[in-house]
Amino acid sequence: MLSQKGEFSGGVHGSLRGNFSLNGAYAASNHIGVLFGGSYMNSEREKKDYKHKLVEVGGGYFDTFGPDDNRIIEIYAGYGNGKTNRTYRNYDDNEVLTSTDFEEATYNKTFFQVNYSSKKTSNLRLFGTDFPINYGTALRISSVEMKTFMRNNIGQIREGNVFLEPIFFTRMRVGENIQLQYTTSGTFGLNSRKYMNANNSLFTIGAVMNIGGRKK
């Protein structure tokens, strides 16, 4: 939601399943923005362990429009690097461990993303206080290619895929520069792959801070 030169927007988000992400953007000029992001996940379950790390950087163009310049369009492209470890355990009918499968992959990704958001607000009244609400959406197209892929310490044929990632968010302002944010997103793979496939949809809650934005 960048609107003018010098503005910074940063967010921290988490999910009930153990996802954690940090992202931010900075307006280097009135129309050029740079962004960064990172995420970490470490989930340990009886039949599956999953560990994930990812960092991303990018840049692009933004502009405001509408009667009060309170709507924003942003177009970004960027690059990321990540690593994923997965462990699968199989049990027999007596719940005795019979086999373990360990996968380790490193990968690069490039992405193209279009964001639309609105600083036009409607109010949610709670406990006698009005909380301004705004919203936005983004569509990201990501190309992900494995750099290395090991299964039980044996090199495997590397895979790649292209993913569509729609994102929808709603923000509630709780202070001059602080907003609470609820996000829902999904991932859809365009190619059928054995290992490089889309994961589950995500629902996260978090906080977003904007500093230096355009005032009404």
Short mmCIF file of all heavy atoms in Angstrom, two decimals, residues 156-188:
data_model
loop_
_atom_site.label_atom_id
_atom_site.label_comp_id
_atom_site.label_asym_id
_atom_site.label_seq_id
_atom_site.Cartn_x
_atom_site.Cartn_y
_atom_site.Cartn_z
N GLN A 156 18.34 -36.86 -6.75
CA GLN A 156 17.16 -37.15 -7.55
C GLN A 156 17.05 -36.18 -8.73
O GLN A 156 17.72 -35.14 -8.77
CB GLN A 156 15.89 -37.03 -6.69
CG GLN A 156 15.91 -37.89 -5.44
CD GLN A 156 15.82 -39.36 -5.74
OE1 GLN A 156 14.97 -39.81 -6.51
NE2 GLN A 156 16.70 -40.14 -5.12
N ILE A 157 16.22 -36.53 -9.68
CA ILE A 157 15.94 -35.62 -10.80
C ILE A 157 15.23 -34.38 -10.26
O ILE A 157 14.24 -34.48 -9.54
CB ILE A 157 15.08 -36.32 -11.86
CG1 ILE A 157 15.84 -37.50 -12.47
CG2 ILE A 157 14.68 -35.32 -12.96
CD1 ILE A 157 15.02 -38.30 -13.45
N ARG A 158 15.74 -33.23 -10.61
CA ARG A 158 15.16 -31.98 -10.13
C ARG A 158 13.87 -31.66 -10.86
O ARG A 158 13.70 -31.99 -12.02
CB ARG A 158 16.17 -30.84 -10.28
CG ARG A 158 17.39 -30.98 -9.39
CD ARG A 158 18.44 -29.95 -9.70
NE ARG A 158 19.00 -30.15 -11.03
CZ ARG A 158 19.87 -29.33 -11.61
NH1 ARG A 158 20.28 -28.24 -10.98
NH2 ARG A 158 20.33 -29.60 -12.81
N GLU A 159 12.97 -30.97 -10.16
CA GLU A 159 11.69 -30.59 -10.75
C GLU A 159 11.49 -29.08 -10.64
O GLU A 159 12.16 -28.39 -9.88
CB GLU A 159 10.54 -31.30 -10.02
CG GLU A 159 10.50 -32.79 -10.23
CD GLU A 159 9.28 -33.43 -9.60
OE1 GLU A 159 8.58 -32.75 -8.82
OE2 GLU A 159 9.02 -34.61 -9.89
N GLY A 160 10.55 -28.58 -11.42
CA GLY A 160 10.14 -27.18 -11.36
C GLY A 160 8.65 -27.09 -11.62
O GLY A 160 8.03 -28.02 -12.13
N ASN A 161 8.08 -25.93 -11.28
CA ASN A 161 6.66 -25.73 -11.51
C ASN A 161 6.36 -24.24 -11.53
O ASN A 161 7.19 -23.42 -11.10
CB ASN A 161 5.84 -26.42 -10.41
CG ASN A 161 4.47 -26.87 -10.89
OD1 ASN A 161 3.94 -26.34 -11.87
ND2 ASN A 161 3.91 -27.87 -10.22
N VAL A 162 5.18 -23.91 -12.04
CA VAL A 162 4.69 -22.54 -12.04
C VAL A 162 3.43 -22.50 -11.19
O VAL A 162 2.53 -23.35 -11.35
CB VAL A 162 4.38 -22.05 -13.47
CG1 VAL A 162 3.79 -20.64 -13.44
CG2 VAL A 162 5.65 -22.08 -14.33
N PHE A 163 3.38 -21.53 -10.27
CA PHE A 163 2.28 -21.46 -9.32
C PHE A 163 1.53 -20.13 -9.45
O PHE A 163 2.14 -19.07 -9.62
CB PHE A 163 2.79 -21.59 -7.89
CG PHE A 163 3.50 -22.88 -7.62
CD1 PHE A 163 4.89 -22.95 -7.65
CD2 PHE A 163 2.79 -24.03 -7.33
CE1 PHE A 163 5.56 -24.14 -7.39
CE2 PHE A 163 3.44 -25.23 -7.08
CZ PHE A 163 4.82 -25.29 -7.11
N LEU A 164 0.21 -20.20 -9.34
CA LEU A 164 -0.64 -19.02 -9.18
C LEU A 164 -0.98 -18.88 -7.70
O LEU A 164 -1.40 -19.85 -7.06
CB LEU A 164 -1.92 -19.16 -9.99
CG LEU A 164 -1.79 -19.19 -11.51
CD1 LEU A 164 -3.17 -19.31 -12.15
CD2 LEU A 164 -1.08 -17.95 -12.03
N GLU A 165 -0.79 -17.66 -7.17
CA GLU A 165 -1.00 -17.44 -5.74
C GLU A 165 -1.89 -16.22 -5.52
O GLU A 165 -1.39 -15.09 -5.39
CB GLU A 165 0.35 -17.24 -5.04
CG GLU A 165 1.31 -18.41 -5.21
CD GLU A 165 2.71 -18.09 -4.74
OE1 GLU A 165 3.00 -18.28 -3.54
OE2 GLU A 165 3.51 -17.61 -5.57
N PRO A 166 -3.21 -16.39 -5.48
CA PRO A 166 -4.09 -15.27 -5.14
C PRO A 166 -4.11 -15.01 -3.64
O PRO A 166 -4.06 -15.95 -2.83
CB PRO A 166 -5.46 -15.74 -5.64
CG PRO A 166 -5.38 -17.23 -5.56
CD PRO A 166 -3.94 -17.61 -5.83
N ILE A 167 -4.15 -13.75 -3.27
CA ILE A 167 -4.12 -13.33 -1.86
C ILE A 167 -5.20 -12.28 -1.63
O ILE A 167 -5.37 -11.38 -2.46
CB ILE A 167 -2.74 -12.74 -1.49
CG1 ILE A 167 -1.62 -13.74 -1.78
CG2 ILE A 167 -2.70 -12.30 -0.02
CD1 ILE A 167 -0.25 -13.10 -1.83
N PHE A 168 -5.92 -12.39 -0.51
CA PHE A 168 -6.93 -11.41 -0.14
C PHE A 168 -6.71 -11.02 1.31
O PHE A 168 -6.45 -11.88 2.16
CB PHE A 168 -8.34 -11.99 -0.31
CG PHE A 168 -8.61 -12.53 -1.69
CD1 PHE A 168 -8.37 -13.87 -1.97
CD2 PHE A 168 -9.07 -11.70 -2.69
CE1 PHE A 168 -8.60 -14.38 -3.24
CE2 PHE A 168 -9.30 -12.20 -3.97
CZ PHE A 168 -9.07 -13.53 -4.25
N PHE A 169 -6.78 -9.72 1.59
CA PHE A 169 -6.57 -9.29 2.98
C PHE A 169 -7.55 -8.21 3.38
O PHE A 169 -8.07 -7.45 2.55
CB PHE A 169 -5.12 -8.80 3.19
CG PHE A 169 -4.76 -7.54 2.46
CD1 PHE A 169 -5.08 -6.29 2.96
CD2 PHE A 169 -4.07 -7.60 1.26
CE1 PHE A 169 -4.73 -5.13 2.29
CE2 PHE A 169 -3.71 -6.46 0.58
CZ PHE A 169 -4.04 -5.21 1.09
N THR A 170 -7.81 -8.15 4.68
CA THR A 170 -8.63 -7.10 5.29
C THR A 170 -7.85 -6.53 6.46
O THR A 170 -7.27 -7.29 7.25
CB THR A 170 -9.97 -7.66 5.78
OG1 THR A 170 -10.68 -8.22 4.68
CG2 THR A 170 -10.82 -6.56 6.40
N ARG A 171 -7.83 -5.20 6.56
CA ARG A 171 -7.06 -4.54 7.62
C ARG A 171 -7.97 -3.67 8.48
O ARG A 171 -8.85 -2.98 7.97
CB ARG A 171 -5.95 -3.68 7.02
CG ARG A 171 -4.84 -4.49 6.35
CD ARG A 171 -3.83 -3.59 5.65
NE ARG A 171 -2.71 -4.37 5.13
CZ ARG A 171 -1.74 -3.88 4.37
NH1 ARG A 171 -1.75 -2.59 4.06
NH2 ARG A 171 -0.77 -4.65 3.94
N MET A 172 -7.72 -3.69 9.78
CA MET A 172 -8.45 -2.85 10.73
C MET A 172 -7.45 -1.94 11.43
O MET A 172 -6.51 -2.41 12.07
CB MET A 172 -9.19 -3.71 11.75
CG MET A 172 -9.99 -2.88 12.76
SD MET A 172 -10.99 -3.90 13.88
CE MET A 172 -9.70 -4.64 14.89
N ARG A 173 -7.67 -0.64 11.32
CA ARG A 173 -6.75 0.32 11.91
C ARG A 173 -7.00 0.43 13.41
O ARG A 173 -8.12 0.71 13.85
CB ARG A 173 -6.91 1.69 11.25
CG ARG A 173 -5.87 2.72 11.70
CD ARG A 173 -6.00 4.01 10.89
NE ARG A 173 -5.79 3.76 9.47
CZ ARG A 173 -4.60 3.64 8.89
NH1 ARG A 173 -3.51 3.75 9.63
NH2 ARG A 173 -4.51 3.42 7.60
N VAL A 174 -5.93 0.22 14.19
CA VAL A 174 -6.03 0.31 15.65
C VAL A 174 -5.18 1.45 16.20
O VAL A 174 -5.18 1.71 17.40
CB VAL A 174 -5.62 -1.01 16.32
CG1 VAL A 174 -6.61 -2.12 15.97
CG2 VAL A 174 -4.20 -1.42 15.92
N GLY A 175 -4.44 2.14 15.35
CA GLY A 175 -3.63 3.28 15.74
C GLY A 175 -3.32 4.11 14.51
O GLY A 175 -3.71 3.76 13.39
N GLU A 176 -2.59 5.19 14.67
CA GLU A 176 -2.32 6.07 13.54
C GLU A 176 -1.55 5.35 12.44
O GLU A 176 -1.81 5.57 11.25
CB GLU A 176 -1.53 7.30 14.02
CG GLU A 176 -1.25 8.30 12.90
CD GLU A 176 -0.51 9.53 13.39
OE1 GLU A 176 -0.30 9.65 14.62
OE2 GLU A 176 -0.15 10.38 12.55
N ASN A 177 -0.60 4.49 12.81
CA ASN A 177 0.23 3.81 11.83
C ASN A 177 0.13 2.28 11.89
O ASN A 177 0.79 1.59 11.12
CB ASN A 177 1.70 4.20 12.01
CG ASN A 177 1.94 5.66 11.78
OD1 ASN A 177 1.48 6.22 10.80
ND2 ASN A 177 2.67 6.31 12.69
N ILE A 178 -0.68 1.74 12.81
CA ILE A 178 -0.73 0.30 13.02
C ILE A 178 -2.10 -0.25 12.61
O ILE A 178 -3.14 0.32 12.96
CB ILE A 178 -0.47 -0.07 14.49
CG1 ILE A 178 0.90 0.47 14.94
CG2 ILE A 178 -0.54 -1.57 14.70
CD1 ILE A 178 2.06 -0.18 14.22
N GLN A 179 -2.08 -1.36 11.87
CA GLN A 179 -3.30 -2.04 11.49
C GLN A 179 -3.17 -3.53 11.78
O GLN A 179 -2.09 -4.11 11.62
CB GLN A 179 -3.59 -1.86 9.99
CG GLN A 179 -3.76 -0.42 9.57
CD GLN A 179 -3.98 -0.30 8.08
OE1 GLN A 179 -5.09 -0.45 7.59
NE2 GLN A 179 -2.91 -0.04 7.36
N LEU A 180 -4.26 -4.15 12.20
CA LEU A 180 -4.34 -5.59 12.27
C LEU A 180 -4.77 -6.12 10.91
O LEU A 180 -5.59 -5.49 10.23
CB LEU A 180 -5.32 -6.04 13.35
CG LEU A 180 -5.02 -5.59 14.77
CD1 LEU A 180 -6.08 -6.14 15.73
CD2 LEU A 180 -3.63 -6.05 15.22
N GLN A 181 -4.24 -7.27 10.49
CA GLN A 181 -4.53 -7.78 9.16
C GLN A 181 -4.89 -9.26 9.21
O GLN A 181 -4.22 -10.06 9.86
CB GLN A 181 -3.33 -7.59 8.23
CG GLN A 181 -3.54 -8.18 6.83
CD GLN A 181 -2.44 -7.80 5.87
OE1 GLN A 181 -2.25 -6.63 5.56
NE2 GLN A 181 -1.72 -8.80 5.40
N TYR A 182 -5.96 -9.60 8.50
CA TYR A 182 -6.35 -10.99 8.28
C TYR A 182 -6.14 -11.30 6.81
O TYR A 182 -6.59 -10.55 5.93
CB TYR A 182 -7.81 -11.21 8.66
CG TYR A 182 -8.36 -12.53 8.18
CD1 TYR A 182 -8.06 -13.72 8.85
CD2 TYR A 182 -9.15 -12.60 7.04
CE1 TYR A 182 -8.56 -14.92 8.41
CE2 TYR A 182 -9.65 -13.80 6.59
CZ TYR A 182 -9.36 -14.97 7.28
OH TYR A 182 -9.84 -16.16 6.82
N THR A 183 -5.44 -12.41 6.52
CA THR A 183 -5.10 -12.76 5.15
C THR A 183 -5.53 -14.19 4.85
O THR A 183 -5.35 -15.09 5.68
CB THR A 183 -3.58 -12.66 4.92
OG1 THR A 183 -3.13 -11.36 5.29
CG2 THR A 183 -3.24 -12.90 3.45
N THR A 184 -6.08 -14.39 3.67
CA THR A 184 -6.34 -15.73 3.18
C THR A 184 -5.71 -15.85 1.79
O THR A 184 -5.74 -14.90 1.00
CB THR A 184 -7.85 -16.04 3.11
OG1 THR A 184 -8.04 -17.35 2.58
CG2 THR A 184 -8.57 -15.04 2.22
N SER A 185 -5.07 -16.99 1.52
CA SER A 185 -4.38 -17.15 0.25
C SER A 185 -4.38 -18.63 -0.14
O SER A 185 -4.60 -19.52 0.69
CB SER A 185 -2.93 -16.64 0.34
OG SER A 185 -2.20 -17.40 1.29
N GLY A 186 -4.14 -18.88 -1.41
CA GLY A 186 -4.06 -20.24 -1.92
C GLY A 186 -2.94 -20.36 -2.93
O GLY A 186 -2.40 -19.36 -3.42
N THR A 187 -2.56 -21.58 -3.25
CA THR A 187 -1.50 -21.85 -4.23
C THR A 187 -1.99 -22.93 -5.18
O THR A 187 -2.49 -23.97 -4.74
CB THR A 187 -0.21 -22.31 -3.54
OG1 THR A 187 0.19 -21.35 -2.58
CG2 THR A 187 0.90 -22.48 -4.57
N PHE A 188 -1.84 -22.68 -6.49
CA PHE A 188 -2.31 -23.61 -7.50
C PHE A 188 -1.19 -23.86 -8.51
O PHE A 188 -0.70 -22.94 -9.15
CB PHE A 188 -3.54 -23.03 -8.23
CG PHE A 188 -4.66 -22.66 -7.29
CD1 PHE A 188 -4.75 -21.37 -6.78
CD2 PHE A 188 -5.59 -23.61 -6.90
CE1 PHE A 188 -5.77 -21.03 -5.91
CE2 PHE A 188 -6.61 -23.28 -6.03
CZ PHE A 188 -6.71 -21.98 -5.53
#
